[in-house]
Amino acid sequence: MSLLTRSPPRQTPTPMCGRFTLHHSTEDVAERFAVEQTLLELTPRYNIAPSQPVPVIIQRDSRLMREHAWGLVPFWAKDPAIGNRMINARAESLVDKPTFKRAFSVRRCLIPASGYYEWKKADGGKNPHYIQAADGQPFAMAGLFEKWSDPDGLPLRTCAVITTEPNELAAAIHNRMPAILSRDAEEIWLDPESRPEALLAVLRPYPGELSAHAVSRLVNKAATDEAACIEPAAEPQKDLQLGLPL
């Protein structure tokens, strides 16, 4: 049963860390992240957009995976539409911004992904690229979550993806990237006893190996959710790992 009872209004997705995929199975994700309690069943998704429900992994008495809307709505917000502007949280301002400060302290989560999209400026517009772990395994983006209630007490669970400076590969496409966590960093991020300085230290350019390739503009339309979204673009592009034509 979904815990998402309401969703903030759909928005036009931002190109900055604004789309990702999760096509791995529930079992694979649960095993990879040591999830003990699963409150949703995953289906393959190739174009997850802001305002849509996404899985988050939270550490309480046990480690659980449940559903939140993508776009953080602070518990004190008067209007849930604020979530439309809160799909990302910059690592550099988590301690200072009222919107994120409390969640950073006590409501941290992992947002599992198979890969994410980013748009690179080019003549004639922006071209989408797909970035994933080089080994094809799911990874965790550092996230924050909140629970907001409307005047009737109906809950809305939401989340945001934290962004940071890009690593070398991601920088060839965009000047930001999701804060992808190493396995050790995942444990630090979920640990309720972790100190702020330890938490901020793991929000750095991803040190692991990634791969990237250009994809078609199918992904530009949020309603398009199919495996073709992640397939390499037909037109010749440069491979961002090797600098050679595909």
Side-chain angles (χ1 to χ4, degrees):
M1 179 178 178
S2 171
L3 294 181
L4 182 63
T5 59
R6 295 184 53 188
S7 295
R10 183 174 297 279
Q11 67 172 41
T12 302
T14 173
M16 186 183 75
C17 306
R19 300 285 182 85
F20 68 97
T21 72
L22 184 58
H23 52 75
H24 288 83
S25 69
T26 307
E27 293 74 18
D28 287 344
V29 173
E31 180 179 1
R32 163 64 181 82
F33 297 105
V35 174
E36 300 163 276
Q37 187 179 8
T38 303
L39 303 180
L40 77 167
E41 189 68 26
L42 300 176
T43 58
R45 298 174 67 190
Y46 296 91
N47 194 9
I48 301 171
S51 83
Q52 295 178 357
V54 300
V56 303
I57 297 169
I58 296 167
Q59 185 69 50
R60 289 292 182 256
D61 293 333
S62 63
R63 186 168 298 187
L64 63 90
M65 181 165 63
R66 67 187 184 192
E67 190 175 78
H68 285 227
W70 185 11
L72 195 79
V73 180
F75 68 92
W76 42 260
K78 295 182 179 179
D79 185 349
I82 191 176
N84 294 341
R85 306 189 304 274
M86 302 297 173
I87 67 167
N88 294 150
R90 293 176 66 93
E92 298 87 344
S93 57
L94 293 177
V95 176
D96 303 316
K97 274 203 169 184
T99 304
F100 306 123
K101 186 175 182 179
R102 182 63 177 167
F104 172 65
S105 177
V106 297
R107 288 187 281 275
R108 299 181 300 276
C109 63
L110 305 179
I111 301 177
S114 301
Y116 75 98
Y117 297 99
E118 201 55 89
W119 279 255
K120 182 178 182 180
K121 291 183 179 179
D123 292 340
K126 296 181 179 180
N127 293 326
H129 290 72
Y130 184 60
I131 303 170
Q132 61 185 333
D135 61 5
Q137 293 300 304
F139 56 79
M141 301 182 290
L144 305 175
F145 71 94
E146 283 280 11
K147 178 184 176 183
W148 178 88
S149 297
D150 72 5
D152 296 323
L154 292 174
L156 172 64
R157 299 185 191 276
T158 62
C159 65
V161 174
I162 296 174
T163 68
T164 189
E165 295 292 320
N167 63 14
E168 184 176 0
L169 181 137
I173 303 171
H174 200 273
N175 63 0
R176 301 291 292 177
M177 73 180 299
I180 300 173
L181 301 175
S182 68
R183 295 200 180 208
D184 288 343
E186 291 167 10
E187 301 306 314
I188 294 171
W189 188 251
L190 288 182
D191 186 348
E193 301 301 322
S194 292
R195 298 183 63 82
E197 55 268 27
L199 295 168
L200 292 172
V202 304
L203 302 177
R204 58 194 177 102
Y206 182 57
E209 189 175 355
L210 299 173
S211 66
H213 60 264
V215 296
S216 80
R217 293 181 179 178
L218 279 174
V219 71
N220 288 5
K221 189 175 181 180
T224 304
D225 189 351
E226 55 190 62
C229 290
I230 66 173
E231 294 176 0
E235 63 270 16
Q237 299 280 343
K238 286 188 176 180
D239 185 304
L240 292 172
Q241 274 191 309
L242 305 176
L244 300 173
L246 292 173

